[in-house]
């Protein structure tokens, strides 16, 4: 998107080179370092790992963490500082295996074989405070073996071999409403075990050993269902040849790790067409994507040069060493990144942090890159995504991938216009996956004085006042289709600096019913507000890039890089507001023009 300068990940240094040359052809790719960072070890298998800001949470079947050669009690759950590797004082305890973790807001969700957490009854699933380790009120009875957790779309999704939750029949899948913790109506079914769940705003991807989803044939091993209704998406039927152990997704498509005669990592388009396949001499059990690089883990020792293998997965056309971990670029080229881990079961799960530029892997290994790393290892990339402030760059930019504190987001332009959340009536900061990072979601549609409110604000500063200079600002926006019969809803403010009276304003807004976005300018003396409004609606639950351009005597709006409307404005129009810059509304009052969609990649550029 124009004027957003994403920091570039530091490439692995090979000999004296500063780029990676992929096996089978030249390809430049940024990857994490192959040298493990400092971290604790664990005295038993680690099955699950998840990031929350600068904290990494792990779960498994361990009873202690090993720090500096000393055992520190941690009963199947622990937390680490993702930057330093230090063991944190977060120590809830489970009485049996923790098999999967997921994070939403201030809660870490765990699932597995346990009956109690912190000595309190919790059957197979629990919500745990990410800060204190105390249990939330969420409590359910799960019949079966849960394997997978994922959050998104206001829900916690659960997969495994499950027959009932709270006495209500379920076919290997269930969901819980995040706001209340209650069992959700979402209930697709499969005819066999679900090993993995990956969530996007439009789809929930399921991977496992099943052959049918919702009794629909040709949905074997990998399928997609609606995140709200659970209906099968018939436009996605890739049919992998072996059991799927792990699934990841981004804007480019879907990535799976499979078993079979040797393991495979396969990338599919959103239409289910295979983009590339890499073959290993053992099962691929973990997969994750960071900045276009796909990281794969499993119990393989070698990566095949071609897609051909034979008995017991032996690579028939040659191979290269890749002990339990490998990396693949966006074109499917095997990258030189090869930390070389040991063990039989190897790597069980991988998590990534785009904000930190790092990955964490867990499993049963004890050595990585010839270093002692028992069952947990982390690899760093570069420092968090902050930038210098070039004179010709944006004066503010936000990708919401780097939260420096709860409800506070960093300014990627380097000008340090931090955004802080202001809430009312239970409004809260929530995130959803977008591209290879995350987007900010605002409260759902609602009317009345008691509706949840959320606005993000930067401190008032003259830096964000353009005066009479050229001005460009924009964002990536997802706005759901309005419900049938919706009428009369006021505009929703996406981005705003100032008000129409006193100091002037610039604003990006959208009509709540028609879904048509518009750009607005008002002079500092007040009076006429000039609006360039698109004739095309964006209320289709798809992501769109919006941009407002003020150049001399005109104001234009672009939608997905196409100019949709232009209006004349006075060349002397001046914006010099003492009001703060805000996202999502003009305040948290009852009539705040609350935005109800999702937002990413916000930026402001002042000058030529």
């Amino acid at each position: 998107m124009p004027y957003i300068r994403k920091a570039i990940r530091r490439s692995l240094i090979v000999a004296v080179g500063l780029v990676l040359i992929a096996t089978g052809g030249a390809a430049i790719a940024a990857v994490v370092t192959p040298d493990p960072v400092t971290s604790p070890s664990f005295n038993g298998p680690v099955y699950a790992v998840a990031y929350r800001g600068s904290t990494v949470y792990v779960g498994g079947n361990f009873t202690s963490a090993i720090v500096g050669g000393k055992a520190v009690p941690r009963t199947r759950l622990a937390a680490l500082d993702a930057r330093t590797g230090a063991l944190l004082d977060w120590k809830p305890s489970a009485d049996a295996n923790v098999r999967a973790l997921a994070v939403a807001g201030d809660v870490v969700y765990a699932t597995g074989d346990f009956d109690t957490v912190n000595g309190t009854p919790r059957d197979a699933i629990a919500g745990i405070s990410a800060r204190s380790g105390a249990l939330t009120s969420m409590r359910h009875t799960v019949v079966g073996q849960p394997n997978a957790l994922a959050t998104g779309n206001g829900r916690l999704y659960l997969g495994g071999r499950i027959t009932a939750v709270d006495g209500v029949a379920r076919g290997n899948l269930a969901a819980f409403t995040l706001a209340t913790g209650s069992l959700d109506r979402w209930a697709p079914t499969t005819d066999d075990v679900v090993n993995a769940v990956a969530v996007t705003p439009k789809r929930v991807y399921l991977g496992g050993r099943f052959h049918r989803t919702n009794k629909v044939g040709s949905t074997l091993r990998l399928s997609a269902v609606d995140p709200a209704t659970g209906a099968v998406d018939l436009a996605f039927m890739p049919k992998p040849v072996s059991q799927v152990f792990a699934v990841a997704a981004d804007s480019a498509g879907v990535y799976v790790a499979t078993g079979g005669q040797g393991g495979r990592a396969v990338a599919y388009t959103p239409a289910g067409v295979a983009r590339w396949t890499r073959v290993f001499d053992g099962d691929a059990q973990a997969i994750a994507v960071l900045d276009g690089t796909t990281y794969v883990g499993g119990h393989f020792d070698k990566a095949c040069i071609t897609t051909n293998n034979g008995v017991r997965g032996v690579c028939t056309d040659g191979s290269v060493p890749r002990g339990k971990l490998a990396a693949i670029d966006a074109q499917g080229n095997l990258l030189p990144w090869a930390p070389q881990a040991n063990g039989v079961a190897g790597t069980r799960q991988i998590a990534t942090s785009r904000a930190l530029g790092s990955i964490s892997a867990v499993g049963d290994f004890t050595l990585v890159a010839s270093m002692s790393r028992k069952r947990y290892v982390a690899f760093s990339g570069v420092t968090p995504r902050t930038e210098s402030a070039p004179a010709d760059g944006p004066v503010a930019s936000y990708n919401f991938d780097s939260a420096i504190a709860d409800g506070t987001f960093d300014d990627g332009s380097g000008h340090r216009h931090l955004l802080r959340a202001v809430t009312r009536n239970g409004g809260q900061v929530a995130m959803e996956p977008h591209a290879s990072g995350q987007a900010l979601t605002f409260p759902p549609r609602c009317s009345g004085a008691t509706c949840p409110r959320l606005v993000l604000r930067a401190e008032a500063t003259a830096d964000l006042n353009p005066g009479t200079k050229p001005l460009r600002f924009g964002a990536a926006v997802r706005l759901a289709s309005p419900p049938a019969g919706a009428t009369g809803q006021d505009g929703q403010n996406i981005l705003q600096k100032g008000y129409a009276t006193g100091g002037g304003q610039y604003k990006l807004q959208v009509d709540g019913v028609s879904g048509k976005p518009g750009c607005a300018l008002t002079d500092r003396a007040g009076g006429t507000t000039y609006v360039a409004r698109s004739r095309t609606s964006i209320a289709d639950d798809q992501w769109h890039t919006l941009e407002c351009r003020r150049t001399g005597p005109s104001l234009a709006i672009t939608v997905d890089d196409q100019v949709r409307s232009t209006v004349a404005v006075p060349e002397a129009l001046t914006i010099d507001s003492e009001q703060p810059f805000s996202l999502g509304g003009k305040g948290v009052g009852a009539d705040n023009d609350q935005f109800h969609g999702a937002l990413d990649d916000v930026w402001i550029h002042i000058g030529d």
Side-chain angles (χ1 to χ4, degrees):
M1 188 173 179
Y3 301 104
I4 296 179
R5 300 192 174 200
K6 302 280 189 180
I8 300 173
R9 297 273 179 232
R10 180 183 60 193
S11 293
L12 166 65
I13 298 175
V14 181
V16 296
L18 295 178
V19 298
L20 292 172
I21 305 302
T23 300
I28 299 174
V31 299
V32 296
T33 172
D35 299 320
V37 301
T38 301
S39 61
S41 291
F42 294 88
N43 70 341
V46 182
Y47 300 132
V49 58
Y51 281 90
R52 177 183 177 270
S54 60
T55 302
V56 181
Y57 298 89
V58 296
N61 194 27
F62 51 85
T63 56
S64 65
I66 313 301
V67 181
K70 297 181 179 180
V72 181
R74 291 291 186 274
T75 308
R76 301 182 179 89
L77 289 159
L80 320 173
D81 186 309
R83 301 179 191 274
T84 67
L87 183 69
L88 300 178
D89 191 30
W90 186 82
K91 46 187 175 184
S93 62
D95 68 340
N97 292 342
V98 173
R99 296 190 177 275
L101 296 172
V103 175
D106 288 335
V107 181
V108 177
Y109 295 95
T111 193
D113 306 331
F114 50 82
D115 295 314
T116 67
V117 175
N118 294 345
T120 301
R122 288 294 187 271
D123 181 12
I125 191 163
I128 306 166
S129 168
R131 301 171 183 273
S132 67
L135 286 171
T136 69
S137 60
M138 178 182 179
R139 182 176 177 181
H140 297 280
T141 300
V142 180
V143 179
Q145 171 64 69
N147 292 326
L149 279 180
T151 59
N153 307 301
R155 295 175 177 86
L156 172 68
Y157 298 93
L158 177 69
R161 184 185 295 279
I162 301 164
T163 58
V165 178
D166 298 338
V168 180
R170 287 292 186 265
N172 301 316
L173 292 158
F176 306 90
T177 304
L178 288 175
T180 63
S182 60
L183 181 65
D184 195 88
R185 291 183 296 176
W186 186 85
T189 63
T190 64
D191 62 352
D192 206 340
V193 66
V194 174
N195 294 323
V197 177
V199 178
T200 71
K202 296 291 288 184
R203 287 172 168 171
V204 175
Y205 293 98
L206 313 173
R209 203 163 59 199
F210 51 85
H211 293 80
R212 291 175 179 267
T213 305
N214 292 353
K215 300 182 180 180
V216 176
S218 301
T219 55
L220 68 167
R221 305 183 186 97
L222 179 64
S223 62
V225 298
D226 187 276
T229 68
V232 174
D233 190 332
L234 299 179
F236 183 79
M237 292 193 176
K239 304 175 186 177
V241 298
S242 303
Q243 177 177 188
V244 172
F245 289 111
V247 180
D250 65 8
S251 59
V254 188
Y255 309 81
V256 300
T258 77
Q261 182 175 286
R264 292 171 181 256
V266 187
Y268 297 97
T269 68
V273 178
R275 291 166 47 207
W276 51 257
T277 300
R278 298 302 319 186
V279 176
F280 303 89
D281 67 345
D283 288 349
Q285 302 170 151
I287 199 161
V289 182
L290 177 63
D291 286 348
T293 297
T294 302
Y295 295 91
V296 184
H299 64 74
F300 50 81
D301 294 307
K302 298 176 181 178
C304 302
I305 292 176
T306 69
T307 57
N308 299 322
N309 63 358
V311 177
R312 298 181 181 178
V314 173
C315 302
T316 55
D317 297 329
S319 63
V320 293
R322 290 294 185 274
K324 321 306 180 192
L325 290 162
I328 303 162
D329 74 10
Q331 289 73 46
N333 297 302
L334 186 69
L335 295 172
W337 187 78
Q340 296 297 99
N342 68 345
V344 177
T347 302
R348 296 183 181 272
Q349 194 174 106
I350 298 173
T352 67
S353 169
R354 188 167 184 265
L356 299 175
S358 65
I359 73 171
S360 289
V362 297
D364 290 273
F365 47 79
T366 58
L367 291 173
V368 181
S370 300
M371 302 179 191
S372 177
R373 291 293 184 274
K374 295 181 179 179
R375 304 170 185 94
Y376 172 84
V377 66
F379 304 93
S380 65
V382 296
T383 54
R385 287 175 174 257
T386 57
E387 301 174 337
S388 60
D392 61 346
V395 294
S397 67
Y398 308 97
N399 62 18
F400 306 110
D401 295 335
S402 181
I404 60 175
D406 290 350
T408 304
F409 294 95
D410 202 2
D411 172 11
S413 74
H415 290 274
R416 297 189 60 77
H417 300 306
L418 304 184
L419 286 176
R420 292 182 172 86
V422 183
T423 65
R424 182 173 292 178
N425 300 338
Q428 60 182 344
V429 172
M431 313 304 295
E432 71 177 39
H434 179 224
S436 56
Q438 59 185 3
L440 179 69
T441 60
F442 289 83
R445 298 174 68 92
C446 176
S447 61
T450 60
C451 291
R453 305 295 182 192
L454 168 65
V455 174
L456 270 66
R457 283 180 175 166
E459 292 184 4
T461 172
D463 292 353
L464 300 181
N465 286 332
T468 59
K469 295 178 182 177
L471 170 67
R472 304 176 76 168
F473 54 94
V477 175
R478 180 182 63 78
L479 186 67
S481 303
T487 59
Q489 182 168 329
D490 293 334
Q492 299 178 28
N493 287 358
I494 298 171
L495 176 162
Q496 181 172 356
K497 176 70 165 72
Y499 297 114
T501 57
Q505 71 168 350
Y506 57 89
K507 181 166 64 173
L508 173 59
Q509 61 189 10
V510 63
D511 180 80
V513 176
S514 72
K516 296 177 181 179
C519 303
L521 297 181
T522 309
D523 185 71
R524 65 183 175 186
T528 302
T529 295
Y530 301 87
V531 181
R533 181 176 290 108
S534 172
R535 296 182 179 179
T536 304
S537 174
I538 62 167
D540 57 3
D541 210 22
Q542 302 288 327
W543 281 96
H544 297 277
T545 57
L546 308 179
E547 180 180 341
C548 301
R549 301 175 181 172
R550 184 263 176 99
T551 52
S554 67
L555 170 66
I557 181 170
T558 73
V559 179
D560 298 326
D561 298 322
Q562 299 294 317
V563 176
R564 297 297 184 182
S565 178
T566 302
V567 298
V569 299
E571 287 197 64
L573 188 149
T574 303
I575 301 170
D576 186 18
S577 173
E578 296 180 356
Q579 299 297 325
F581 169 71
S582 65
L583 298 179
K586 60 186 179 184
V588 291
D591 184 23
N592 74 329
D593 294 338
Q594 179 69 60
F595 179 57
H596 298 301
L599 196 58
D600 201 359
D601 293 339
V602 177
W603 57 276
I604 304 168
H605 188 278
I606 296 173
D608 295 321

